[in-house]
Amino acid sequence: MLSEKIETALNQQIELEGASSQYYLAMASWAETQGMNGISTFLYKHSDEERMHMLKLMKYVNERGGQAVVPTLKAPPKSFKGVKEVFDLVLEHEVKVSTEINKLVGICVKEGDYTTQNFLQWYVSEQIEEEALARKILDKLKLLGGDKGNLYLFDRDLETLAAAEAEAEGA
Ligand code: OFO
């Protein structure tokens, strides 16, 4: 059984994961309108993953006798200055998510809820990967010259990256 405090904290995380999904969905849609299909494919996939993170939390809350709340979300931005801004924002957002996950783990330790602490380890590992991925993408973009560089190559690379990730998940 979840304590009220943990239930509330998990519901806040559900909201954040839902907001992440919407945020990346907005970026994906914007990239698609700019003709950057590889970047948009990558971001659509990233948005789906965040929705999966949200659902995983919702199921956990309900299974443990709490009630998952479907969040009301603020509309994300409609447009972005460029690809560099998009991935800077992705990294910034992932760092924020990691901070929140760490805080959540801290609350579980304080409350003595080791079951939830254990459940959250999956998110801790996931955040390491997601931050590393965002940094890798930004490094690549820098190498190709940022928004003024070879966006065609960058777009193609992200298409390959999204396909490789999808294959790894299917394996
Ligand atoms: Fe990338 O944020 Fe979910 O966990």
Side-chain angles (χ1 to χ4, degrees):
M1 187 82 187
L2 295 173
S3 72
E4 230 181 274
K5 194 166 181 180
I6 301 278
E7 184 178 343
T8 304
L10 287 172
N11 268 313
Q12 278 166 359
Q13 191 61 32
I14 286 170
E15 185 176 344
L16 183 56
E17 301 289 346
S20 306
S21 178
Q22 291 277 89
Y23 198 26
Y24 300 149
L25 187 60
M27 291 174 181
S29 177
W30 172 81
E32 195 166 40
T33 64
Q34 306 299 304
M36 298 183 283
N37 290 335
I39 296 167
S40 77
T41 303
F42 176 87
L43 290 164
Y44 276 124
K45 187 173 169 295
H46 209 41
S47 168
D48 284 347
E49 280 171 21
E50 297 301 346
R51 182 177 150 79
M52 188 272 282
H53 298 171
M54 177 183 74
L55 290 178
K56 198 176 164 84
L57 276 159
M58 290 180 84
K59 288 196 188 309
Y60 178 79
V61 169
N62 290 340
E63 258 167 35
R64 301 274 303 143
Q67 185 171 11
V69 180
V70 178
T72 308
L73 300 171
K74 261 197 346 210
K78 277 195 205 136
S79 60
F80 300 86
K81 284 190 212 118
V83 176
K84 165 90 168 61
E85 186 195 52
V86 164
F87 286 98
D88 278 338
L89 290 172
V90 169
L91 178 60
E92 190 184 297
H93 191 76
E94 290 300 333
V95 170
K96 179 179 159 193
V97 173
S98 301
T99 306
E100 294 307 313
I101 294 280
N102 284 338
K103 277 193 209 156
L104 204 44
V105 171
I107 296 173
C108 291
V109 173
K110 220 164 136 192
E111 294 277 299
D113 185 345
Y114 302 112
T115 311
T116 305
Q117 187 203 347
N118 190 41
F119 165 78
L120 289 172
Q121 287 315 302
W122 182 88
Y123 287 85
V124 172
S125 312
E126 182 72 12
Q127 281 315 115
I128 297 172
E129 276 176 34
E130 296 210 340
E131 277 190 38
L133 180 63
R135 287 195 178 93
K136 190 172 122 184
I137 291 171
L138 278 167
D139 284 348
K140 195 181 270 288
L141 189 56
K142 207 166 146 194
L143 269 175
L144 291 171
D147 279 302
K148 292 189 176 61
N150 199 334
L151 280 184
Y152 171 76
L153 268 186
F154 181 73
D155 190 60
R156 225 180 46 184
D157 276 2
L158 281 212
E159 189 134 46
T160 311
L161 194 62
E165 282 201 332
E167 204 182 301
E169 280 155 20

